[in-house]
Amino acid sequence: MAEQAQYEELIRQFSAFGAVKRELGRIMPSDCPSGSAAVLTLLGRHGDMRMSKLAELLAVDMSVTSRHVAHVAQRGWIDRSPDPADKRSRILRLTPEGRAQLAEMSRRTCRMLAERLNDWSDDEVAQLTVLMARLRASFDDCRVPHAPLPSDTEPRPPTAPVLEQSPRTPATTT
């Protein structure tokens, strides 16, 4: 198990990662905020789905999901049709315009990453991808309360910064 100093450094790196997320947000089309990008990305990755499934994948409640879905639907990027199995539910699917928007977001993101990581080897990029996927998997069930760890009752060290609270959102590329 890692030592406290390693975890403290990891916390500092998480805090610094906000700059990467902000830059990714700046290169997105102005009419596609991060929540909308996440909706398009998930529909592109997982295919047609109910809004309840989308809310689960976004790890946000239905009211937040509904706002994101309304935004992308108003732009013609998704279609909402009745679910044949339950007429009260809607099935969400990407439209051709939504697929085009998703492709544009992917193009912009890949270009920016290629520019910023141009001095990284292919192996280093692959290693980062594997480690980030593993890290995310360690937090995938973060909405389920876990028993507190013994260290959770101890005072936190003054050197550990407080991280911003924000919902998990998937990467904006496929």
Side-chain angles (χ1 to χ4, degrees):
M1 180 175 239
E3 293 183 19
Q4 181 170 338
Q6 290 174 300
Y7 289 127
E8 289 172 353
E9 179 57 27
L10 187 57
I11 290 168
R12 282 189 285 281
Q13 295 305 319
F14 286 156
S15 295
F17 198 75
V20 175
K21 287 183 68 173
R22 283 188 297 277
E23 186 161 352
L24 285 169
R26 281 193 292 272
I27 65 165
M28 289 294 112
S30 61
D31 60 346
C32 191
S34 63
S36 297
V39 168
L40 296 177
T41 299
L42 288 170
L43 286 170
R45 184 177 302 141
H46 298 283
D48 303 351
M49 69 182 74
R50 286 184 173 185
M51 193 148 48
S52 58
K53 177 65 176 176
L54 181 62
E56 181 184 319
L57 291 171
L58 288 170
V60 298
D61 68 38
M62 285 294 284
S63 65
V64 174
T65 303
S66 182
R67 285 193 300 273
H68 293 322
V69 166
H71 184 267
V72 295
Q74 288 170 350
R75 279 146 185 80
W77 297 336
I78 65 165
D79 179 49
R80 297 179 279 195
S81 58
D83 182 348
D86 180 358
K87 300 293 183 197
R88 296 169 298 168
S89 295
R90 299 277 181 219
I91 298 291
L92 309 174
R93 68 180 41 88
L94 286 174
T95 63
E97 294 83 3
R99 290 193 186 287
Q101 181 72 358
L102 188 56
E104 174 63 15
M105 291 182 333
S106 180
R107 184 188 63 75
R108 289 177 183 211
T109 304
C110 289
R111 185 179 66 217
M112 189 270 291
L113 289 171
E115 289 171 3
R116 295 290 191 254
L117 304 179
N118 67 356
D119 60 339
W120 289 45
S121 71
D122 290 348
D123 287 343
E124 289 170 324
V125 173
Q127 182 180 9
L128 177 62
T129 303
V130 167
L131 291 173
M132 288 181 75
R134 183 175 172 193
L135 175 67
R136 181 159 182 215
S138 296
F139 286 86
D140 267 350
D141 204 10
C142 68
R143 291 171 290 161
V144 176
H146 296 282
L149 299 173
S151 62
D152 286 347
T153 58
E154 298 170 11
R156 295 185 188 253
T159 58
V162 177
L163 296 176
E164 292 180 286
Q165 295 288 351
S166 64
R168 273 186 319 162
T169 54
T172 57
T173 61
T174 57

